[in-house]
Amino acid sequence: MSQFNYIQDLQNIITLDGELTKGPAPRWQKKLDISSAASTSFNASAMNTSRQKLSMSFTNSQAQTVPPGTLSGKTPSKKAGGSGSKTTPGKGGKGQSSSSAQKQQQPSGGDRFIPNRNTTDFDLGHFMVKQNEGKSKENEGSEGSGEEGGGTSGGASGSGSPKNAERMKMLAEAVKGCDISNRRILSYQTKAPAAPDGHMNPLKVVYSVKTPMSTKSGSRFIPNAPERILDAPDIINDYYLNLMDWSADNVVAVALGSSVYLWNAASGNIEVLYENEGSDHACALGWIQEGHILAVGTSTGTVELWDCEAMKRLRVMDGQSGRVGVLAWNSFIVCSGSRDGSIINHDVRSRDHNVATLRGHTQEVCGLKWSTDGKHLASGGNDNMVNVWSAANGAPHTTTTPLHAFNQHQAAVRALAWCPWQPHTLATGGGTADRCIKFWNVNNGQLINSVDTKSQVCGLLFSKNYKELISAHGYINNQLTIWKYPSMTRQVELLGHTGRVLQIAMSPDGSTVMSAGADETLRLWNCFTPDPLLTKKEKSATREKPSLLKQSIR
């Protein structure tokens, strides 16, 4: 046997898996023991105090049971209301709290929640598990033998009868102070503690149950700087004029002073359409929906038609005594609004161009817009009125009696926009004394919504690619605001103009908005870039042939 003991001792010496327990203590350990011998008692008392403080700070339920004025964090071994039953110290947890629990303590710092297992009552969990096992064995025994009391052996609850089971349930509730049927077996914490006062958490997932809106998909990037800035010297700073328009052929017409300029957005070429002599000037510009015909409203009360390819004037149409400040096309009908308060429907195919004269405003007409389906014409005036005119028996011109007359605005109404996906929805914007954007249902004449923008509304446009709305404003920030429709939540504000935004126009593809400001600049904002998937579909689709309306214009 001695040789086996020798081999075993030799293997123990060679083995390097475990810790060396035999042999003299190292030199560094001897010095450490000698130097720390004097402070052993002090360190021991300090460690005990720190442990007590830590247990009080991290165990919320224990800290709540400690009476005021005591420093000890120990939990009593016996609980009131029990019949001498003992429980494990420090594991009372949530079982000691009443139904009206106190508020949880706020974390001292940080924004991270670390769960604590001290809130789990292991004794209660063990009792509940054994109780469930006893019930399951009772059910199995009663099904096998047909007797009521079968299957009670081995169950920790010892419920040989329903009366005994009810007694054990009442005893458990008296000991724990709550209904144990609603308790969890494993519970780290009910919820994360409340954030301290003034704490700002950008993620908001630690202190909230629902997913924040910022993490949901659907958000897109909107550049807050203009893509290009063009000079617009001598542009007339007049709220009631409409001096810019963007054609379907990607050509922008702008009236600067006494001249009208054409800027090709694709090539960047600039041409002068014509230049007035004397004090006459253009007051309104409007492109036909398809083609290169431009209607120009003049300060003398006439409407001129210009062929921008041949750079020549086609005809002059009169009928109004005041300046023509706004134009709107619908097929071969062009409507002109004048300072005298009248609106004339001009048929550009006929020699007698005056088809209908509308007199629903008492002051200058500064806003005109046809609906996307061509069934309604909206007009806004300096008399704070908004009139809606219906088409006459499906014709592109309107009846002489307004369908609706809205008088809820408190200032001149120049900004008008029809919703592309809801042709019956009209958006209107008021001037400095009103500052509101209102939405109307022209089918029943009801006001849908009203939003106070806190500044003068100079223009409105609905996006073609998104369910959004862009508005142009004057004093005080001279900004462009993009709204989410129909919630009307602000998406972004585009700043840059030092003067009020006189007018806005949208590119044919709906991706770019051009703003003309009183600071004599034109700014292009790439704020409605379409979805790449939709762009591919549009490229694959065949383009419709342009209309032949230009051939019938006399």
Side-chain angles (χ1 to χ4, degrees), residues 384-401:
N384 309 343
M385 292 291 297
V386 176
N387 291 326
V388 177
W389 315 79
S390 60
N393 298 325
H397 61 85
T398 63
T399 59
T400 57
T401 304

Side-chain angles (χ1 to χ4, degrees), residues 124-137 154-158 185:
L124 178 61
H126 178 75
F127 174 76
M128 294 173 65
V129 170
K130 291 299 181 181
Q131 190 180 33
N132 293 334
E133 290 180 357
K135 290 181 179 179
S136 62
K137 290 181 179 181
S157 61
I185 296 177

Side-chain angles (χ1 to χ4, degrees), residues 95-375:
Q96 299 176 359
S97 60
S98 61
S99 60
S100 59
Q102 299 179 359
K103 292 185 178 180
Q104 296 179 345
Q105 295 182 354
Q106 295 179 349
S108 58
D111 58 352
R112 200 159 57 93
F113 168 63
I114 302 175
N116 189 1
R117 262 196 298 186
N118 289 335
T119 58
T120 302
D121 193 342
F122 292 99
D123 291 340
L124 178 61
H126 178 75
F127 174 76
M128 294 173 65
V129 170
K130 291 299 181 181
Q131 190 180 33
N132 293 334
E133 290 180 357
K135 290 181 179 179
S136 62
K137 290 181 179 181
E138 284 181 11
N139 296 332
E140 291 177 0
S142 61
E143 291 177 359
S145 61
E147 297 179 357
E148 294 181 358
T152 58
S153 61
S157 61
S159 56
S161 64
K163 185 176 181 181
N164 193 13
E166 184 68 21
R167 185 184 303 111
M168 291 299 298
K169 181 181 179 182
M170 294 175 61
L171 179 61
E173 292 180 359
V175 172
K176 297 301 177 181
C178 63
D179 186 7
I180 62 174
S181 61
N182 297 328
R183 292 293 307 276
R184 296 181 179 180
I185 296 177
L186 294 177
S187 173
Y188 290 100
Q189 193 125 359
T190 56
K191 64 177 181 178
D197 295 337
H199 178 74
M200 298 298 295
N201 185 7
L203 297 179
K204 297 182 181 179
V205 283
V206 178
Y207 305 109
S208 63
V209 178
K210 295 182 180 180
T211 305
M213 295 295 293
S214 59
T215 61
K216 292 185 178 180
S217 60
S219 59
R220 62 186 184 90
F221 172 72
I222 302 176
N224 55 6
E227 184 181 8
R228 184 179 299 181
I229 301 177
L230 304 175
D231 291 328
D234 300 330
I235 190 169
I236 301 174
N237 186 6
D238 194 330
Y239 178 77
Y240 303 99
L241 303 185
N242 296 268
L243 305 175
M244 182 181 64
D245 197 16
W246 204 327
S247 73
D249 293 333
N250 209 11
V251 178
V252 179
V254 184
L256 303 178
S258 60
S259 303
V260 177
Y261 293 84
L262 303 176
W263 177 68
N264 193 317
S267 61
N269 295 332
I270 300 175
E271 295 179 317
V272 180
L273 180 62
Y274 75 93
E275 183 175 357
N276 284 312
E277 297 180 357
S279 59
D280 295 341
H281 58 87
C283 298
L285 300 176
W287 288 98
I288 195 171
Q289 287 97 333
E290 297 175 356
H292 46 81
I293 304 299
L294 177 67
V296 180
T298 65
S299 57
T300 59
T302 61
V303 177
E304 300 179 355
L305 297 181
W306 286 80
D307 187 346
C308 294
E309 277 192 354
M311 305 296 285
K312 58 180 294 187
R313 187 172 64 183
L314 299 179
R315 70 180 298 183
V316 178
M317 299 178 292
D318 56 6
Q320 292 167 310
S321 58
R323 67 179 184 182
V324 177
V326 62
L327 297 167
W329 281 90
N330 185 24
S331 185
F332 52 84
I333 297 293
V334 58
C335 301
S336 62
S338 174
R339 176 177 275 182
D340 60 8
S342 65
I343 302 172
I344 295 181
N345 295 337
H346 303 275
D347 188 345
V348 298
R349 307 171 302 169
S350 174
R351 180 175 180 178
D352 297 330
H353 55 84
N354 191 340
V355 178
T357 301
L358 315 179
R359 301 190 181 276
H361 294 275
T362 58
Q363 297 186 36
E364 182 173 6
V365 180
C366 52
L368 275 180
K369 192 75 67 173
W370 277 95
S371 61
T372 54
D373 55 3
K375 295 181 180 179

Side-chain angles (χ1 to χ4, degrees), residues 5-47:
N5 294 333
Y6 172 76
I7 292 174
Q8 186 176 2
D9 293 340
L10 183 62
Q11 289 179 353
N12 293 336
I13 294 172
I14 297 174
T15 302
L16 300 178
D17 294 339
E19 181 182 1
L20 296 178
T21 58
K22 297 181 179 180
R27 184 178 179 183
W28 62 270
Q29 189 173 1
K30 293 179 180 179
K31 290 184 177 182
L32 181 62
D33 295 339
I34 295 172
S35 61
S36 60
S39 59
T40 303
S41 59
F42 174 76
N43 291 338
S45 60
M47 289 296 291

